[in-house]
Amino acid sequence: MTPPTRAEALALDSADPLGPFVERFVADDPNLCYLDGNSLGRLPVATVARLRQVVEHEWGKGLAGSWPEWIEWPVAVGDRLGASLLGAAPGQTLVADSVTVNLYKLAGAALAAARAADPARRVVVVVADEFPTDRYVLEGLAGGTGGALRTVAADAVAGVDPAAVTAALGPDTALVVLSHVAYRSGALVDMAGVTDAAHRAGALALWDLSHSAGAVPVGLDVAGADLAVGCTYKYLNAGPGAPAFLYVAARHQRRLRSPIQGWFAQRDQFAMGTAFVPVDGVERFAAGTPPVLGLAAVDEGVALLAEAGIDRVRAKAMALTDLLVGLADEWLAPLGFALASPREPSRRGAHITLRHDEAWPVTAALVTAGVVGDFRAPEHLRLGPAPLSTRYVEVWDAADRLRRLVAEGRHRAAVPPAGRVT
Ligand SMILES: Cc1ncc(COP(=O)(O)O)c(C=O)c1O
């Protein structure tokens, strides 16, 4: 294919129905190509005003009198997130804690319930290349409760084969934990198919939506998903350390008990009773005091995406990554780059990964060229053009700067020690 010209990339921006949303984000440096929205999303302009309002008025003036309103937010914001982006009916999504803690709570609850019903059901099926915190949490849970992990191999590029997951299931399986979109390759898994396979084996399915929430439509209810977790600082633009979310299908809420018996999960919380009795509903998976500022930021990020519409966001994500893949084929493959993500847009999320022997120095040098991506060991450059905040021409410029930098060998000039650049 003949790669598009820069003028053609600009024309794509002019015709983009989501183009005006780019202006809704803080972007002080017009030269910057920010392709790291899959790590930390840009700051929405509206969030600045909303946080100012919460800090100056609700906290500064309202003080503890604001709590009656704030205390509703974990469920209220969760419901808005569930309705607009996760395909979840109200009362099933809660914004709280980190992904790591939510995973611990939900996987712990599922394992305990499975073993109470049948002591032989103690295995958690997980993908070998799953995001580290997921594997660590599950390993710790299994070790501490007499459970066991069963690891399924996955293709580094195509992702996990649903047939391999199905083959790993059996009468001993309590839970399957899987990322909907793989963090490294971006490979997208068939949620309904894998969930159905888990159910046929008598197990529950827990989805990590960190790379799909706000990037691809997620139909939790329709897929029959049991449990889910995900973060809000990537495509939901809620900022560093913003609280994560969890989803527990209504049909499971009564029988599942969080291993963290916190007072925000307690029925009649302010009676300060001696015995822990969990409240009905998804709030029983809360733990402690909600992070109010982070919740306000999640609310703004969700509102922005809801306004854009997840189907349009998905269409632009596929078009942006397709542009990037096309440019990589033409310009970067001759320089030693190989696509390490599914080639078919419908089989990947909103980021792509390129493999290169010198991926670390390339990623580091790119920053000095005004392009932010991120490095994933051992030799992957990940590029995530967040659909709402990224222009087509930004992708074109990023690929152009990348090819020039490597062709001229500039990445070999000053190599900082390996680590994160962003
Ligand atoms: C797929 C996935 N799961 C979990 C996490 C970690 O989430 P947290 O740090 O909020 O616990 C990340 C972070 O990037 C992630 O990409």
Side-chain angles (χ1 to χ4, degrees):
M1 136 200 161
T2 312
T5 62
R6 193 169 193 277
E8 285 166 340
L10 284 167
L12 289 174
D13 283 317
S14 304
D16 175 12
L18 296 183
F21 278 90
V22 174
E23 308 294 337
R24 310 273 294 271
F25 293 87
V26 174
D28 290 339
D29 180 358
N31 186 49
L32 182 70
C33 299
Y34 188 70
L35 303 192
D36 206 11
N38 55 306
S39 178
L40 180 68
R42 279 192 186 267
L43 168 63
V45 174
T47 302
V48 179
R50 175 76 182 273
L51 290 183
R52 185 176 285 277
Q53 154 74 18
V54 175
V55 170
E56 290 184 352
H57 295 273
E58 298 176 26
W59 175 18
K61 296 186 177 36
L63 291 166
S66 296
W67 266 117
E69 192 198 329
W70 291 336
I71 213 161
E72 306 294 337
W73 287 3
V75 174
V77 177
D79 281 348
R80 290 197 273 277
L81 165 61
S84 53
L85 303 175
L86 306 182
Q92 304 179 102
T93 310
L94 184 81
V95 180
D97 303 309
S98 61
V99 179
T100 304
V101 172
N102 287 338
L103 184 67
Y104 177 82
K105 291 186 293 190
L106 299 195
L111 275 177
R115 295 194 64 187
D118 173 2
R121 270 201 197 272
R122 55 187 203 90
V123 169
V124 182
V125 170
V126 65
V127 173
D129 194 31
E130 189 52 87
F131 190 80
T133 207
D134 299 44
R135 289 184 280 106
Y136 303 154
V137 164
L138 296 171
E139 189 184 301
L141 263 175
T145 60
L149 285 193
R150 183 171 299 138
T151 305
V152 180
D155 184 87
V157 175
V160 68
D161 178 357
V165 178
T166 305
L169 301 168
D172 59 357
T173 312
L175 185 65
V176 180
V177 177
L178 212 54
S179 274
H180 187 209
V181 172
Y183 81 100
R184 211 193 303 268
S185 68
L188 180 66
V189 178
D190 168 17
M191 178 182 282
V194 172
T195 299
D196 184 52
H199 290 173
R200 276 187 276 110
L204 300 188
L206 192 168
W207 293 93
D208 186 334
L209 306 178
S210 294
H211 288 273
S212 42
V216 300
V218 181
L220 286 170
D221 289 349
V222 167
D226 303 292
L227 306 163
V229 296
C231 73
T232 64
Y233 40 77
K234 302 181 192 294
Y235 299 103
L236 302 184
N237 304 95
F245 61 86
L246 61 83
Y247 162 94
V248 180
R251 64 185 180 281
H252 294 309
Q253 289 177 4
R254 266 185 182 280
R255 87 188 169 94
L256 295 185
R257 296 274 296 249
S258 170
I260 301 179
Q261 299 194 160
W263 71 312
F264 271 73
Q266 167 75 343
R267 188 184 302 253
D268 200 3
Q269 178 185 7
F270 293 101
M272 305 291 189
T274 47
F276 177 75
V277 184
V279 67
D280 287 337
V282 74
E283 299 97 306
R284 64 168 48 199
F285 298 96
T289 304
V292 169
L293 298 180
L295 271 156
V298 176
D299 203 17
E300 289 303 323
V302 168
L304 208 51
L305 280 146
E307 186 187 333
I310 191 64
D311 291 332
R312 292 200 301 173
V313 168
R314 172 64 172 149
K316 185 171 175 189
M318 292 202 286
L320 283 169
T321 50
D322 229 21
L323 173 63
L324 196 47
V325 168
L327 295 172
D329 284 345
E330 290 298 317
W331 295 343
L332 302 175
L335 296 168
F337 289 88
L339 181 66
S341 296
R343 189 162 278 283
E344 166 62 40
S346 66
R347 299 211 46 231
R348 60 177 188 247
H351 70 270
I352 66 145
T353 293
L354 300 173
R355 207 205 65 76
H356 190 275
D357 288 345
E358 297 166 292
W360 165 247
V362 167
T363 310
L366 260 183
V367 175
T368 60
V371 180
V372 180
D374 70 10
F375 169 71
R376 281 290 170 265
E379 49 205 13
H380 292 100
L381 166 61
R382 218 171 46 155
L383 299 169
L388 274 196
S389 57
T390 311
R391 297 180 206 273
Y392 289 92
V393 75
E394 211 174 324
V395 166
W396 195 96
D397 284 344
D400 183 47
R401 290 181 206 176
L402 176 53
R403 72 163 156 159
R404 288 174 197 279
L405 182 139
V406 175
E408 291 163 19
R410 276 185 279 136
H411 59 294
R412 297 198 179 116
V415 182
R420 288 187 61 93
V421 272
T422 54

